[in-house]
Amino acid sequence: QVQLVESGGGLVQAGGSLRLSCAASGSIFSINVMGWYRQAPGKQRELVATVTSLRRTNYADSVKGRFTISGNNPWNTVYLQMNSLKPEDTGVYYCNAARTTGSYRQYEYWGQGTQVTVSS
């Protein structure tokens, strides 16, 4: 089992910055991909960014150039630095930890989420 605890969400004005943290514990040695997802009201959960154990990163087009994901391996804490925030970045942000083989997810874990609200 892996436990994930997010922190760092809050209310910020458009153009501002926030840094989210995800503290991982438990059987983290089995994890090879960490990521952040978000869910806006009335919308499906979507990928924001991922980082692999080989330090490869992937970003949603909507956040490229504004957000940066970083973390340690073995995983202790994963961060999401969010700059130039826009109202459309508003949502609940979830930390995700997964064990993958190629594109197949063998198993994954989710945090409880942290609210990010960007005012215009």
Side-chain angles (χ1 to χ4, degrees):
Q1 291 289 320
V2 172
Q3 294 77 44
L4 304 171
V5 179
E6 302 102 331
S7 61
L11 173 64
V12 65
Q13 287 189 331
S17 298
L18 282 174
R19 188 176 81 156
L20 305 183
S21 300
C22 173
S25 60
S27 302
I28 57 177
F29 59 86
S30 66
I31 300 303
N32 59 353
V33 180
M34 296 287 290
W36 288 94
Y37 292 72
R38 68 187 180 190
Q39 187 166 19
K43 294 188 177 181
Q44 290 188 331
R45 192 173 298 187
E46 63 177 2
L47 169 73
V48 176
T50 59
V51 59
T52 73
S53 56
L54 299 177
R55 298 287 191 271
R56 292 173 182 159
T57 57
N58 179 52
Y59 295 92
D61 288 343
S62 60
V63 306
K64 282 181 181 177
R66 300 188 297 122
F67 291 12
T68 302
I69 188 170
S70 62
N72 302 323
N73 184 25
W75 311 110
N76 295 115
T77 307
V78 177
Y79 302 98
L80 184 68
Q81 178 66 44
M82 306 186 293
N83 298 327
S84 302
L85 283 161
K86 304 176 181 179
E88 50 264 44
D89 294 318
T90 295
V92 179
Y93 283 67
Y94 296 92
C95 182
N96 175 276
R99 175 71 185 182
T100 65
T101 303
S103 60
Y104 174 66
R105 292 202 159 211
Q106 293 177 270
Y107 49 85
E108 62 182 350
Y109 303 91
W110 293 93
Q112 81 288 351
T114 185
Q115 177 70 43
V116 171
T117 303
V118 184
S119 63
S120 57

